[in-house]
Amino acid sequence: MAYTLVFTDQYEKRAARFLRRHPELANLYLKTLQLLEANPHHPSLRLHALTGRLVGLHSVSINLSYRITLELLICGREIIPISVGDHDAVYR
């Protein structure tokens, strides 16, 4: 059973800004979202829980430099992306 991605207006604005700045990552970004929806535990996503002030959130990798932080609600099988960007941008 697949998961459902739930996009907030705020995330969609962040994603649009990210893709305007990094158009070369559009296909990889889309592939990451598709894989996240199909299987968030796929090893290539490098899903991991965050700590500190971001406790309760998770992160997946688009590539070695860029991440998507997200709220992963396994009970409801929903994934809510929160932010997208480079390491420093999504973890601040």
Side-chain angles (χ1 to χ4, degrees):
M1 180 176 184
Y3 287 75
T4 302
L5 291 173
V6 178
F7 297 104
T8 63
D9 290 340
Q10 184 177 18
Y11 178 79
E12 287 181 349
K13 289 176 186 175
R14 289 178 178 170
R17 186 171 47 245
F18 172 77
L19 292 172
R20 273 193 308 275
R21 292 180 183 161
H22 306 284
E24 73 281 5
L25 296 175
N27 289 334
L28 193 53
Y29 171 76
L30 180 59
K31 181 180 175 184
T32 301
L33 291 180
Q34 290 169 340
L35 188 55
L36 185 59
E37 197 169 38
N39 177 11
H41 301 287
H42 191 281
S44 69
L45 292 173
R46 296 186 291 280
L47 173 73
H48 62 280
L50 301 177
T51 59
R53 71 174 190 83
L54 298 176
V55 70
L57 298 179
H58 289 73
S59 176
V60 295
S61 296
I62 296 172
N63 64 17
L64 291 175
S65 299
Y66 296 95
R67 313 277 190 276
I68 299 173
T69 57
L70 48 98
E71 187 174 346
L72 181 62
L73 305 173
I74 294 182
C75 294
R77 300 192 69 81
E78 289 185 344
I79 299 171
I80 304 168
I82 304 294
S83 187
V84 60
D86 67 23
H87 185 276
D88 293 339
V90 298
Y91 294 144
R92 63 178 145 115

